[in-house]
Each structure stands twice: as C-alpha cells, then as structure tokens.
Amino acid sequence: MRRPETLLRLVDGWVFAREDPRRLAAVRIGLCGLLALRFAIADYGVVARLPASFFHPVFYMKLFERMPSPEVATVLQICGIVAALLAAAGLALRLSLPLAVVCSLVLNGMLNSAGRVIVGDAVLTLCLLVLLACGTAASEAWSLGEHLRRALQRFRRAPAPGPRIAPSPIRSGERYGWPIRTAMIAIALAYFLAGFQKWRYSGLPWITSDNLRLILYDQAHPSGLALFIADRPLLAHVFAAGSLLLETCFPLVLFLPRLRWLLIPGVVAMHVGIRIALKLDYSAQWLAAVIVFVNWPVAVAWVRHAMARVPMPREAPR
Amino acid sequence: MTPVNEGTSSARAGAATQRHARAFVGVFLATIVVCALATWNLWPFSNWDLFSRLRTDRQTGWEALAVVGASRERAYPIASLPDGYRGFALVMSDFARDSVAQRDAVCETWLRDATRRFGLRTRRVSIFHVEWLLLDRRGNREAPPHLTLAWTCSAKGVREAA
C-alpha cells in the first residue's frame, strides 16, 4: 500500500476510534457551561452603543445593515445564557445548542465589528461547531433529560417502559470519539498556525529582535509584569522563544499523550501571563483546551477513588 | 419490520452518519488551514495572525483633545475604548479619503459626545497625528510623543489643519 494511503488510514483510525460517551458528555457540559459564563460576563453594550461610523462588519456580520441595538444584544445575551445552560444539562440539545451558537455568533460578531477582530472566543466557537455537528450523541450520557423522564414517570405512576428508562450500560462507540478528536485537532491547529504565522512573517527575528519588548511597551498603561520583562532584553528573548516553541510544538499533544501534562499547563501559563502583561483575555481558549484534552470520566473516577480511601472524620469528643 | 431488517437498516443509517461525519471533519479542518494560509479572517475561522509581524520602534497613532471654553484642552479618550477596540484608528485611517459629508457626520458625533462629557462650553475637538519611539523611555514611561494637529471638528464642520 502506498504511504499517503497508509497515513490517511492511520489518521482516520485515530479520529474515528471508539470513545466513552461520558467523555463527550463532559466536553458538552464544559463547553456549554463556558459559553454561558462568557455570555454572562461580557459587556456587549459597549459596542451596541457605538455610533454608526464605528460599525465595520466582518464576514457574516455584513448581513446586518447596522450594529444591533443594546436591547437586541440584551435579548440575545439572555437567550444565549438559557440555551447554553440547557445544552450543558443535555436538555433539548437539538434546539438549545443551535440557539446558543447562533446567539454567540451574533454577539461575538458585534464585538468583531468594532474595528478589530478578537480571536479570544474563536477556538471555543470552533469546538461548539463540532459539538453541533455530532447531533444528539453528546447528550447520551450525563444528561438531565433521562432523570427528568424518570421523575415524570414516577409522578404519573405509570408503568415504566423497561428498556427505555433502565440504566443503560455504558457502551463506547465511534460516534462519541470523532467530535472530541476533531476538537483536539482544531485546538492544536489554532496554536500551531499562530506559531506558523510568526515564522512566516517574521522568522527568527521574532525571538532575536526587540519585538516582544516593543509589544510589551506598546500599551497606554503597561503592567508591572510587562515592564519587568520589557526592561530586561534577555528575559524578553527567553519568553519570546518559549512561547513560539510552545505554539509550534503544540500538535505533539495529539500523538504523544504524555506531553499533555507539559504543554497544556504551558499554554495555560502563557495565556495567564498574556492576561497580566497585555490585558488580553484568552481565557475562553485555554479553558476550551483544558475541557477538550482532559479525560473527565477518568478524572472523576480518580477523584472518587481517592475520596473513598479517605477515612470518614470521627465525631469530636464532647 | 423483522429484527434482522431493523438491524440492517440501523447499520446502514450508522454508515451514512459516519460518511457525513468524515465529510464534515475533512471540510472543517481544511477550512481552518486554508483560512490561515490565505490569511482570510472569516471568524471563527481566524487567520491566527496574532502578533506575527515584527513591531518597529517608531509608532504612529491618533489622539483627540476636546477644547473647553477659551483654550482649556481636555484629553478625549475616543481612541481608548475598552477591550482593545480600535474603531478610532480605523476611522482615522480612511478619514482623509472620506467625503466631506461623511467626515462632517463623524465629527458631529464626536463633538456631541465631547459636549456630553465636558459640558456645553466644549467648542471643538482637535485630532492630532501622534508619533513616538517605544524604546525611548523616561523611567517607567515612554518619552513624550510628537503631536501634529491634523483635523479640527467644530459646530461649523470639519477642517483640515494647514
């Protein structure tokens, strides 16, 4: 067999390998919960109140003649929070998840139509698009829907239709695996391409020149951390090299799972550093990476096991 | 439908779903890569062009001052909207090429907003072209920038500096 075909088969086998449905459910809970949080803490009114001259629509926002009003933004924000929470709970996923994603696209589109496209939530949105494409597979475990159905049955005192409400054994399947691994590849590509563009447009001078110092100084009010690094050229070169190496090597987490213990905390630390030094919020990106790459059923089982080993506290003597 | 037929049809449905999933994965990942290579910023399919161009020491920008009363100048931070929005810089990059009517409309918005902030004695908004050197530091601060008056917005409309 020729090499490209073999490689393609290997990739296909990896992407479409079987997976525990609870892992996909955990990704659903995490990503939708994060989306609800993003809706709740963002101030879309800032851009909704901008004068018409500041409306510079990008991509699909060109469908809008002007910036949606603050009232529309508030309605979308409330709908988005409710829909995202319902989707996180696994309720009416066919309706709740598309609604949450549409609200997110419009509200993020508003933020991106005010003069600068903000990359912060792009990775989260890409992962949500994958979740959207996998249909109801993401709500087949760890969902409130099944509990609600059982409670309703008990309330009505109707005889339970055996197989429907009986606790189903956890069966792994291909349909639970490809969404997780596609999201993993999307995240890995996001980091790799950010590094690739630096090599493409700047090359080694991105590390060896004063570039990072200039980025850190180029703020109205640089933070103490920004000035601490920018005032020390050698330290700035080390940070520049570290971040470029991290971005370029990030796809290794796909092939070498052990490297996740190093590279995932690495990107979290990089984004926290960027938040403090440049006041740029990439929390949605690193949280999406943590949600997608951590094997939550294993983590939950480990925590349960660890807690079971801890002896119960005795009652204090009186 | 017999159990055998049921099993066959569900297997067929499963295979069709897998085909669709494979098509989706291929198109989705290819879009991410193509947008980056072609530098198309079709959010959320970003071009991932984050801080990728080398910065230069010499920086240019725009600054606005509101003139209140006879000659009292107040910093008017239309350039420093929260969360890194750069609407002001974007508007100013095309300002000279805009029609007089467009420029007047933009200036009227700024003057009205400045009047709301600083009171009815606000007479005009002056727009300066600013140049500064990032590595030219005075302790923790950069050296004062070089300002050149570019435009003046008043009740009479917009006027280009001589």
Side-chain angles (χ1 to χ4, degrees):
Chain A
M1 198 183 287
R2 282 177 298 171
R3 267 189 187 173
E5 278 179 32
T6 316
L7 190 69
L8 210 62
R9 267 182 203 282
L10 272 173
V11 172
D12 187 84
W14 182 77
V15 173
F16 289 90
R18 302 176 79 81
E19 189 56 82
D20 184 336
R22 293 173 306 175
R23 188 163 182 195
L24 182 58
V27 170
R28 180 203 81 223
I29 294 167
L31 293 179
C32 295
L34 177 59
L35 181 63
L37 183 70
R38 299 295 294 173
F39 281 136
I41 61 174
D43 182 7
Y44 302 101
V46 173
V47 286
R49 284 187 290 270
L50 283 176
S53 55
F54 282 86
F55 182 53
H56 296 276
V58 286
F59 190 29
Y60 58 87
M61 285 304 284
K62 287 178 182 162
L63 294 170
F64 293 81
E65 274 185 16
R66 59 187 178 85
M67 189 73 91
S69 66
E71 291 76 22
V72 171
T74 306
V75 170
L76 288 172
Q77 204 171 356
I78 293 166
C79 280
I81 292 171
V82 173
L85 288 175
L86 286 173
L91 295 170
L93 200 68
R94 277 181 200 277
L95 182 71
S96 56
L97 186 58
L99 182 61
V101 170
V102 167
C103 291
S104 167
L105 286 174
V106 176
L107 291 170
N108 277 301
M110 287 171 65
L111 297 179
N112 291 334
S113 301
R116 176 187 275 185
V117 176
I118 298 162
V119 178
D121 286 34
V123 164
L124 171 62
T125 311
L126 289 175
C127 293
L128 285 166
L129 290 178
V130 176
L131 212 55
L132 199 61
C134 76
T136 53
S139 63
E140 288 176 19
W142 288 353
S143 163
L144 279 185
E146 197 67 17
H147 294 283
L148 280 179
R149 255 198 300 276
R150 276 188 224 172
L152 208 65
Q153 291 280 5
R154 248 180 264 136
F155 180 73
R156 286 178 181 163
R157 292 184 181 182
R164 182 110 188 227
I165 61 159
S168 54
I170 296 160
R171 279 192 205 153
S172 62
E174 290 167 19
R175 58 200 297 260
Y176 310 116
W178 72 261
I180 297 172
R181 279 179 284 276
T182 306
M184 282 180 178
I185 299 173
I187 293 169
L189 278 175
Y191 282 107
F192 173 75
L193 291 168
F196 172 80
Q197 300 291 46
K198 291 179 182 81
W199 288 111
R200 180 184 183 182
Y201 292 115
S202 304
L204 209 56
W206 202 89
I207 298 169
T208 55
S209 71
D210 280 324
N211 184 54
L212 185 60
R213 296 179 67 210
L214 295 171
I215 291 171
L216 293 167
Y217 279 139
D218 189 15
Q219 302 175 75
H221 306 286
S223 68
L225 179 67
L227 290 174
F228 182 83
I229 298 168
D231 289 343
R232 291 161 182 81
L234 189 63
L235 189 62
H237 293 314
V238 170
F239 273 102
S243 53
L244 190 50
L245 190 72
L246 191 59
E247 286 179 338
T248 312
C249 296
F250 193 83
L252 290 175
V253 296
L254 299 174
F255 319 111
L256 304 167
R258 280 192 178 186
L259 268 184
R260 288 175 197 171
W261 290 98
L262 178 71
L263 296 185
I264 302 289
V267 293
V268 173
M270 181 177 78
H271 287 307
V272 171
I274 290 172
R275 179 74 184 85
I276 298 168
L278 291 170
K279 303 176 190 83
L280 294 174
D281 179 18
Y282 286 97
S283 56
Q285 184 162 329
W286 67 259
L287 281 168
V290 170
I291 290 164
V292 170
F293 278 97
V294 171
N295 190 337
W296 293 103
V298 171
V300 168
W302 184 84
V303 169
R304 277 185 184 158
H305 183 67
M307 284 175 78
R309 278 190 300 187
V310 174
M312 291 291 285
R314 287 186 194 168
E315 198 176 332
R318 292 182 187 179
Chain B
M1 196 180 274
T2 64
V4 175
N5 286 344
E6 252 178 45
T8 314
S9 67
S10 78
R12 262 190 219 140
T17 309
Q18 288 300 308
R19 262 201 314 279
H20 291 142
R22 277 187 174 82
F24 169 81
V25 171
V27 171
F28 177 76
L29 296 177
T31 310
I32 294 177
V33 175
V34 168
C35 282
L37 295 181
T39 57
W40 294 332
N41 210 350
L42 307 178
W43 196 96
F45 295 93
S46 170
N47 56 16
W48 309 107
D49 194 356
L50 300 162
F51 298 102
S52 62
R53 323 271 165 150
L54 287 180
R55 295 285 170 106
T56 53
D57 188 19
R58 183 175 294 278
Q59 298 287 309
T60 60
W62 300 90
E63 198 172 303
L65 292 175
V67 179
V68 184
S71 60
R72 195 172 158 220
E73 288 183 330
R74 302 280 299 269
Y76 177 35
I78 41 177
S80 55
L81 286 162
D83 303 331
Y85 301 120
R86 284 208 169 159
F88 183 51
L90 196 73
V91 170
M92 290 316 298
S93 65
D94 286 333
F95 200 68
R97 286 189 290 273
D98 287 344
S99 68
V100 176
Q102 280 173 310
R103 288 201 296 251
D104 279 345
V106 171
C107 262
E108 193 189 326
T109 310
W110 288 337
L111 191 60
R112 199 181 326 121
D113 185 58
T115 307
R116 193 174 50 77
R117 283 169 188 247
F118 304 115
L120 292 170
R121 293 183 67 229
T122 305
R123 291 171 53 200
R124 60 180 188 271
V125 171
S126 304
I127 312 286
F128 292 89
H129 187 248
V130 189
E131 279 185 42
W132 71 100
L133 297 172
L134 283 172
L135 293 177
D136 186 8
R137 313 288 299 171
R138 304 280 188 277
N140 271 352
R141 305 182 69 86
E142 59 203 23
H146 180 250
L147 276 76
T148 313
L149 181 64
W151 302 91
T152 306
C153 298
S154 67
K156 292 176 188 168
V158 64
R159 189 165 51 84
E160 190 170 4

